[in-house]
Amino acid sequence: MGTTNHRRTTMRRAVAGLAALGLAVAACGSDDDEAEPEPAPAEEPADEPADEPAEEAADEPAEEPAEEPADEPAEEPAEEPAEEPAEEPAGDLSSLDTNGDGTVSIGIATPGPRDDGAYYQALVEGVSAFSESNGFDSPIIVDNIDPAQAETEIRNLARQNVDMIAVGASELADPLGSLAAEFPDIFFYCNCGAGGQIEGVAQSADDSSQISYSAGYATGLLLADTESTQVAILGCCDLDFEKEMYNAFQLGLEAVDPAFESTYIPTGDFNDVAGATEAFNQAVANGAGAVYPFLGGAHEAIVGLANENDVITMSAGASDVCARDDLDYQIAVQFDAGDYLDVLLEQIANGTLVEGETFLFAVGDYDFVGAALCDGTPEQVEALDAVKAQIAAGEFGEAFFEIKAEAYGF
């Protein structure tokens, strides 16, 4: 236990050092690179979040500059500055190497495809960008993991000498507590949505009721300019978290107009393009003027169909869709794992996020959480912003609690 805490404290020091040097934080990766690479840091700070980073930052810069200038004022100044920056990053990066093999590697595990254009891809791209910007190995990515095989797949990933494992969804969270204990030197992070806390695992979470309400409201604003009153929500299997999503979406939708109605259509799989396509065609035939493809691998295919049929559509997690030129999105429903990772690295560095805790991303606290209109009118944007401010103020807390109670049975 002492070794584990020391090693994770060292990781926090390293992240803090990177921040002090102004190194950029981002994220993402590829499977073909999996033989050599081995990913790095992640979330959970340890037992002494605030003290260690402060000491590291204070010691390095304080000693070197003070001694050299005193001894050789004329010649050394020119050489010293050149050497110092080069040595500092190397030392910090090696500190992130928790297994001591000379490289920093991050492993990624997701239940869906790495290139789904939505939730899973957001994490992959975030970790890859972070690794690349800091000179780490390319991430080792294992995607399309069957939740029933999560323990086996993540254990296999852990055995590839990674320094950190980032898990892309709560579907894979069940074995994480035991795996974190089995591999104490690996830093485990889970983008687990609204799951419970897991010992030894740092998590990010968001409030689906908040996000989905804002998505329903944004859709209602756009639907009001059409002749349709119907929205189709395409999902998987009527899972508990899907129930929370579509009930909160409906509440937001009818806040714009009580006549607006959404219909949830289970396709049987988040990644089945054929099933999702059939569901979409049926929904449009029944008069749907908007579609929310709450899907993984089938997401982009449905967005393409929505574009062809002039149907309002939106993302399912990704925050950058308004800037895309290959597909046309009207709404970004944002719960982007890449955006979360950027913030969490800072939290780890300053000791705000500690081992076994979950950091909540709430609508209203961050611009990249909740619905955003890609090309809304000033009036529509103002109306949506006002609703997000109400959400942040807790005005829908009671309604959201009832939605959660019904979805999860408590």
PDB file of all heavy atoms in Angstrom, residues 3 14 38 40-41 48 56 92 116 121 128 144-145 167 170 173-174 188 207 234 260 300 399 406 408:
ATOM      1  N   THR A   3       3.901   1.477  -1.121  1.00  0.00           N
ATOM      2  CA  THR A   3       4.543   1.588  -2.432  1.00  0.00           C
ATOM      3  C   THR A   3       3.592   2.187  -3.437  1.00  0.00           C
ATOM      4  O   THR A   3       3.944   3.033  -4.243  1.00  0.00           O
ATOM      5  CB  THR A   3       4.982   0.187  -2.919  1.00  0.00           C
ATOM      6  OG1 THR A   3       5.882  -0.357  -1.977  1.00  0.00           O
ATOM      7  CG2 THR A   3       5.658   0.297  -4.275  1.00  0.00           C
ATOM      8  N   ALA A  14       4.766  14.552 -11.165  1.00  0.00           N
ATOM      9  CA  ALA A  14       5.166  14.686 -12.557  1.00  0.00           C
ATOM     10  C   ALA A  14       4.169  15.522 -13.337  1.00  0.00           C
ATOM     11  O   ALA A  14       4.540  16.385 -14.117  1.00  0.00           O
ATOM     12  CB  ALA A  14       5.281  13.310 -13.181  1.00  0.00           C
ATOM     13  N   GLU A  38       3.073   1.930 -24.594  1.00  0.00           N
ATOM     14  CA  GLU A  38       2.465   1.574 -23.333  1.00  0.00           C
ATOM     15  C   GLU A  38       2.119   2.806 -22.579  1.00  0.00           C
ATOM     16  O   GLU A  38       2.954   3.421 -21.979  1.00  0.00           O
ATOM     17  CB  GLU A  38       3.396   0.682 -22.538  1.00  0.00           C
ATOM     18  CG  GLU A  38       3.598  -0.606 -23.284  1.00  0.00           C
ATOM     19  CD  GLU A  38       4.715  -1.413 -22.765  1.00  0.00           C
ATOM     20  OE1 GLU A  38       5.707  -0.835 -22.349  1.00  0.00           O
ATOM     21  OE2 GLU A  38       4.602  -2.604 -22.764  1.00  0.00           O
ATOM     22  N   ALA A  40       0.249   6.107 -20.304  1.00  0.00           N
ATOM     23  CA  ALA A  40       0.680   6.732 -19.063  1.00  0.00           C
ATOM     24  C   ALA A  40      -0.365   7.108 -18.065  1.00  0.00           C
ATOM     25  O   ALA A  40      -1.298   6.435 -17.816  1.00  0.00           O
ATOM     26  CB  ALA A  40       1.508   7.934 -19.437  1.00  0.00           C
ATOM     27  N   PRO A  41      -0.232   8.304 -17.477  1.00  0.00           N
ATOM     28  CA  PRO A  41      -0.994   8.763 -16.325  1.00  0.00           C
ATOM     29  C   PRO A  41      -2.473   8.857 -16.537  1.00  0.00           C
ATOM     30  O   PRO A  41      -2.948   8.734 -17.612  1.00  0.00           O
ATOM     31  CB  PRO A  41      -0.408  10.136 -16.060  1.00  0.00           C
ATOM     32  CG  PRO A  41       0.001  10.573 -17.409  1.00  0.00           C
ATOM     33  CD  PRO A  41       0.427   9.352 -18.151  1.00  0.00           C
ATOM     34  N   GLU A  48      -1.517  12.457  -0.654  1.00  0.00           N
ATOM     35  CA  GLU A  48      -0.991  13.780  -0.348  1.00  0.00           C
ATOM     36  C   GLU A  48      -1.016  14.663  -1.568  1.00  0.00           C
ATOM     37  O   GLU A  48      -0.004  15.030  -2.120  1.00  0.00           O
ATOM     38  CB  GLU A  48       0.428  13.651   0.173  1.00  0.00           C
ATOM     39  CG  GLU A  48       0.547  12.647   1.302  1.00  0.00           C
ATOM     40  CD  GLU A  48       1.978  12.223   1.489  1.00  0.00           C
ATOM     41  OE1 GLU A  48       2.418  11.335   0.793  1.00  0.00           O
ATOM     42  OE2 GLU A  48       2.655  12.813   2.329  1.00  0.00           O
ATOM     43  N   GLU A  56       7.866  19.848  -5.211  1.00  0.00           N
ATOM     44  CA  GLU A  56       8.596  19.610  -6.452  1.00  0.00           C
ATOM     45  C   GLU A  56       8.826  20.909  -7.174  1.00  0.00           C
ATOM     46  O   GLU A  56       9.899  21.252  -7.581  1.00  0.00           O
ATOM     47  CB  GLU A  56       7.792  18.693  -7.377  1.00  0.00           C
ATOM     48  CG  GLU A  56       7.799  17.224  -6.967  1.00  0.00           C
ATOM     49  CD  GLU A  56       9.200  16.680  -6.833  1.00  0.00           C
ATOM     50  OE1 GLU A  56      10.158  17.273  -7.361  1.00  0.00           O
ATOM     51  OE2 GLU A  56       9.361  15.666  -6.192  1.00  0.00           O
ATOM     52  N   ASP A  92      10.797  14.779 -15.593  1.00  0.00           N
ATOM     53  CA  ASP A  92       9.375  14.694 -15.278  1.00  0.00           C
ATOM     54  C   ASP A  92       8.720  13.532 -16.014  1.00  0.00           C
ATOM     55  O   ASP A  92       7.932  12.792 -15.464  1.00  0.00           O
ATOM     56  CB  ASP A  92       8.672  15.997 -15.655  1.00  0.00           C
ATOM     57  CG  ASP A  92       9.005  17.114 -14.670  1.00  0.00           C
ATOM     58  OD1 ASP A  92       9.314  16.800 -13.512  1.00  0.00           O
ATOM     59  OD2 ASP A  92       8.967  18.266 -15.074  1.00  0.00           O
ATOM     60  N   ASP A 116     -16.174   5.634 -33.542  1.00  0.00           N
ATOM     61  CA  ASP A 116     -17.632   5.725 -33.660  1.00  0.00           C
ATOM     62  C   ASP A 116     -18.135   7.138 -33.941  1.00  0.00           C
ATOM     63  O   ASP A 116     -19.313   7.346 -34.218  1.00  0.00           O
ATOM     64  CB  ASP A 116     -18.314   5.183 -32.398  1.00  0.00           C
ATOM     65  CG  ASP A 116     -18.102   6.064 -31.173  1.00  0.00           C
ATOM     66  OD1 ASP A 116     -17.087   6.795 -31.134  1.00  0.00           O
ATOM     67  OD2 ASP A 116     -18.938   6.022 -30.261  1.00  0.00           O
ATOM     68  N   GLN A 121     -14.948   7.445 -29.321  1.00  0.00           N
ATOM     69  CA  GLN A 121     -13.893   8.118 -30.073  1.00  0.00           C
ATOM     70  C   GLN A 121     -13.378   9.345 -29.332  1.00  0.00           C
ATOM     71  O   GLN A 121     -12.195   9.690 -29.421  1.00  0.00           O
ATOM     72  CB  GLN A 121     -14.400   8.520 -31.454  1.00  0.00           C
ATOM     73  CG  GLN A 121     -13.324   9.124 -32.344  1.00  0.00           C
ATOM     74  CD  GLN A 121     -13.800   9.340 -33.764  1.00  0.00           C
ATOM     75  OE1 GLN A 121     -14.768   8.727 -34.218  1.00  0.00           O
ATOM     76  NE2 GLN A 121     -13.137  10.228 -34.480  1.00  0.00           N
ATOM     77  N   SER A 128      -4.940  10.123 -27.055  1.00  0.00           N
ATOM     78  CA  SER A 128      -3.918  10.119 -28.105  1.00  0.00           C
ATOM     79  C   SER A 128      -3.239  11.481 -28.211  1.00  0.00           C
ATOM     80  O   SER A 128      -2.013  11.577 -28.332  1.00  0.00           O
ATOM     81  CB  SER A 128      -4.540   9.745 -29.452  1.00  0.00           C
ATOM     82  OG  SER A 128      -5.019   8.427 -29.418  1.00  0.00           O
ATOM     83  N   ASN A 144     -14.369  -2.370 -28.786  1.00  0.00           N
ATOM     84  CA  ASN A 144     -15.426  -3.366 -29.006  1.00  0.00           C
ATOM     85  C   ASN A 144     -15.388  -4.484 -27.961  1.00  0.00           C
ATOM     86  O   ASN A 144     -15.586  -5.662 -28.274  1.00  0.00           O
ATOM     87  CB  ASN A 144     -15.316  -3.966 -30.408  1.00  0.00           C
ATOM     88  CG  ASN A 144     -15.635  -2.951 -31.493  1.00  0.00           C
ATOM     89  OD1 ASN A 144     -16.658  -2.275 -31.437  1.00  0.00           O
ATOM     90  ND2 ASN A 144     -14.767  -2.828 -32.478  1.00  0.00           N
ATOM     91  N   ILE A 145     -15.133  -4.122 -26.716  1.00  0.00           N
ATOM     92  CA  ILE A 145     -15.065  -5.120 -25.642  1.00  0.00           C
ATOM     93  C   ILE A 145     -16.466  -5.508 -25.170  1.00  0.00           C
ATOM     94  O   ILE A 145     -17.277  -4.646 -24.819  1.00  0.00           O
ATOM     95  CB  ILE A 145     -14.268  -4.569 -24.443  1.00  0.00           C
ATOM     96  CG1 ILE A 145     -12.817  -4.294 -24.847  1.00  0.00           C
ATOM     97  CG2 ILE A 145     -14.317  -5.546 -23.275  1.00  0.00           C
ATOM     98  CD1 ILE A 145     -11.984  -3.643 -23.743  1.00  0.00           C
ATOM     99  N   VAL A 167     -10.603   3.714 -19.019  1.00  0.00           N
ATOM    100  CA  VAL A 167     -11.759   2.901 -19.409  1.00  0.00           C
ATOM    101  C   VAL A 167     -12.872   3.819 -19.909  1.00  0.00           C
ATOM    102  O   VAL A 167     -13.208   4.810 -19.268  1.00  0.00           O
ATOM    103  CB  VAL A 167     -12.247   2.050 -18.214  1.00  0.00           C
ATOM    104  CG1 VAL A 167     -13.477   1.237 -18.593  1.00  0.00           C
ATOM    105  CG2 VAL A 167     -11.119   1.121 -17.757  1.00  0.00           C
ATOM    106  N   SER A 170     -19.127   2.982 -18.331  1.00  0.00           N
ATOM    107  CA  SER A 170     -19.496   2.250 -17.113  1.00  0.00           C
ATOM    108  C   SER A 170     -19.820   0.788 -17.379  1.00  0.00           C
ATOM    109  O   SER A 170     -19.801  -0.026 -16.461  1.00  0.00           O
ATOM    110  CB  SER A 170     -20.695   2.926 -16.450  1.00  0.00           C
ATOM    111  OG  SER A 170     -21.796   2.986 -17.338  1.00  0.00           O
ATOM    112  N   ALA A 173     -17.048  -1.236 -16.025  1.00  0.00           N
ATOM    113  CA  ALA A 173     -16.549  -0.837 -14.706  1.00  0.00           C
ATOM    114  C   ALA A 173     -16.557  -1.933 -13.640  1.00  0.00           C
ATOM    115  O   ALA A 173     -15.799  -1.859 -12.670  1.00  0.00           O
ATOM    116  CB  ALA A 173     -17.354   0.359 -14.193  1.00  0.00           C
ATOM    117  N   ASP A 174     -17.373  -2.958 -13.770  1.00  0.00           N
ATOM    118  CA  ASP A 174     -17.528  -3.955 -12.704  1.00  0.00           C
ATOM    119  C   ASP A 174     -16.215  -4.544 -12.173  1.00  0.00           C
ATOM    120  O   ASP A 174     -16.049  -4.671 -10.954  1.00  0.00           O
ATOM    121  CB  ASP A 174     -18.455  -5.089 -13.154  1.00  0.00           C
ATOM    122  CG  ASP A 174     -19.914  -4.665 -13.140  1.00  0.00           C
ATOM    123  OD1 ASP A 174     -20.213  -3.563 -12.627  1.00  0.00           O
ATOM    124  OD2 ASP A 174     -20.767  -5.420 -13.656  1.00  0.00           O
ATOM    125  N   PHE A 188      -5.597   3.693 -12.710  1.00  0.00           N
ATOM    126  CA  PHE A 188      -6.854   3.393 -13.382  1.00  0.00           C
ATOM    127  C   PHE A 188      -7.776   4.621 -13.397  1.00  0.00           C
ATOM    128  O   PHE A 188      -8.000   5.254 -12.373  1.00  0.00           O
ATOM    129  CB  PHE A 188      -7.578   2.240 -12.681  1.00  0.00           C
ATOM    130  CG  PHE A 188      -7.028   0.880 -13.014  1.00  0.00           C
ATOM    131  CD1 PHE A 188      -5.932   0.379 -12.321  1.00  0.00           C
ATOM    132  CD2 PHE A 188      -7.594   0.105 -14.014  1.00  0.00           C
ATOM    133  CE1 PHE A 188      -5.410  -0.871 -12.614  1.00  0.00           C
ATOM    134  CE2 PHE A 188      -7.084  -1.147 -14.318  1.00  0.00           C
ATOM    135  CZ  PHE A 188      -5.990  -1.644 -13.620  1.00  0.00           C
ATOM    136  N   ASP A 207     -24.186  14.295 -15.163  1.00  0.00           N
ATOM    137  CA  ASP A 207     -25.574  14.053 -14.798  1.00  0.00           C
ATOM    138  C   ASP A 207     -26.396  13.933 -16.071  1.00  0.00           C
ATOM    139  O   ASP A 207     -26.667  14.922 -16.754  1.00  0.00           O
ATOM    140  CB  ASP A 207     -26.090  15.201 -13.928  1.00  0.00           C
ATOM    141  CG  ASP A 207     -27.434  14.887 -13.296  1.00  0.00           C
ATOM    142  OD1 ASP A 207     -28.337  14.404 -14.019  1.00  0.00           O
ATOM    143  OD2 ASP A 207     -27.594  15.135 -12.084  1.00  0.00           O
ATOM    144  N   LEU A 234     -33.047   6.915 -30.981  1.00  0.00           N
ATOM    145  CA  LEU A 234     -32.595   5.558 -31.286  1.00  0.00           C
ATOM    146  C   LEU A 234     -31.548   5.128 -30.273  1.00  0.00           C
ATOM    147  O   LEU A 234     -30.522   5.800 -30.097  1.00  0.00           O
ATOM    148  CB  LEU A 234     -32.000   5.496 -32.698  1.00  0.00           C
ATOM    149  CG  LEU A 234     -32.860   6.045 -33.846  1.00  0.00           C
ATOM    150  CD1 LEU A 234     -32.196   5.732 -35.181  1.00  0.00           C
ATOM    151  CD2 LEU A 234     -34.266   5.482 -33.798  1.00  0.00           C
ATOM    152  N   PHE A 260     -45.047  18.630 -28.232  1.00  0.00           N
ATOM    153  CA  PHE A 260     -43.909  17.888 -28.789  1.00  0.00           C
ATOM    154  C   PHE A 260     -43.756  16.543 -28.076  1.00  0.00           C
ATOM    155  O   PHE A 260     -43.915  16.448 -26.855  1.00  0.00           O
ATOM    156  CB  PHE A 260     -42.613  18.692 -28.645  1.00  0.00           C
ATOM    157  CG  PHE A 260     -42.555  19.906 -29.539  1.00  0.00           C
ATOM    158  CD1 PHE A 260     -41.609  20.899 -29.305  1.00  0.00           C
ATOM    159  CD2 PHE A 260     -43.432  20.066 -30.608  1.00  0.00           C
ATOM    160  CE1 PHE A 260     -41.526  22.019 -30.117  1.00  0.00           C
ATOM    161  CE2 PHE A 260     -43.366  21.183 -31.425  1.00  0.00           C
ATOM    162  CZ  PHE A 260     -42.420  22.162 -31.186  1.00  0.00           C
ATOM    163  N   GLU A 300     -22.830   7.567 -36.669  1.00  0.00           N
ATOM    164  CA  GLU A 300     -22.571   8.396 -37.841  1.00  0.00           C
ATOM    165  C   GLU A 300     -23.419   7.996 -39.046  1.00  0.00           C
ATOM    166  O   GLU A 300     -23.794   8.839 -39.860  1.00  0.00           O
ATOM    167  CB  GLU A 300     -21.087   8.361 -38.199  1.00  0.00           C
ATOM    168  CG  GLU A 300     -20.230   9.102 -37.186  1.00  0.00           C
ATOM    169  CD  GLU A 300     -18.807   9.305 -37.664  1.00  0.00           C
ATOM    170  OE1 GLU A 300     -18.352   8.551 -38.559  1.00  0.00           O
ATOM    171  OE2 GLU A 300     -18.138  10.222 -37.154  1.00  0.00           O
ATOM    172  N   ALA A 399     -37.449  17.168 -10.111  1.00  0.00           N
ATOM    173  CA  ALA A 399     -37.889  16.423 -11.296  1.00  0.00           C
ATOM    174  C   ALA A 399     -36.815  15.422 -11.723  1.00  0.00           C
ATOM    175  O   ALA A 399     -37.124  14.283 -12.090  1.00  0.00           O
ATOM    176  CB  ALA A 399     -38.187  17.392 -12.431  1.00  0.00           C
ATOM    177  N   GLU A 406     -37.115   6.451 -11.029  1.00  0.00           N
ATOM    178  CA  GLU A 406     -37.887   5.561 -11.917  1.00  0.00           C
ATOM    179  C   GLU A 406     -36.956   4.713 -12.763  1.00  0.00           C
ATOM    180  O   GLU A 406     -37.188   3.510 -12.954  1.00  0.00           O
ATOM    181  CB  GLU A 406     -38.790   6.386 -12.833  1.00  0.00           C
ATOM    182  CG  GLU A 406     -39.622   5.528 -13.771  1.00  0.00           C
ATOM    183  CD  GLU A 406     -40.524   6.376 -14.685  1.00  0.00           C
ATOM    184  OE1 GLU A 406     -40.720   7.572 -14.382  1.00  0.00           O
ATOM    185  OE2 GLU A 406     -41.013   5.836 -15.696  1.00  0.00           O
ATOM    186  N   TYR A 408     -33.713   3.832 -12.175  1.00  0.00           N
ATOM    187  CA  TYR A 408     -32.842   2.889 -11.453  1.00  0.00           C
ATOM    188  C   TYR A 408     -33.536   2.143 -10.303  1.00  0.00           C
ATOM    189  O   TYR A 408     -32.922   1.317  -9.623  1.00  0.00           O
ATOM    190  CB  TYR A 408     -31.624   3.648 -10.909  1.00  0.00           C
ATOM    191  CG  TYR A 408     -30.837   4.333 -12.006  1.00  0.00           C
ATOM    192  CD1 TYR A 408     -30.926   5.713 -12.180  1.00  0.00           C
ATOM    193  CD2 TYR A 408     -30.046   3.608 -12.905  1.00  0.00           C
ATOM    194  CE1 TYR A 408     -30.237   6.362 -13.197  1.00  0.00           C
ATOM    195  CE2 TYR A 408     -29.361   4.248 -13.926  1.00  0.00           C
ATOM    196  CZ  TYR A 408     -29.454   5.626 -14.072  1.00  0.00           C
ATOM    197  OH  TYR A 408     -28.776   6.253 -15.087  1.00  0.00           O
TER     198      TYR A 408
END
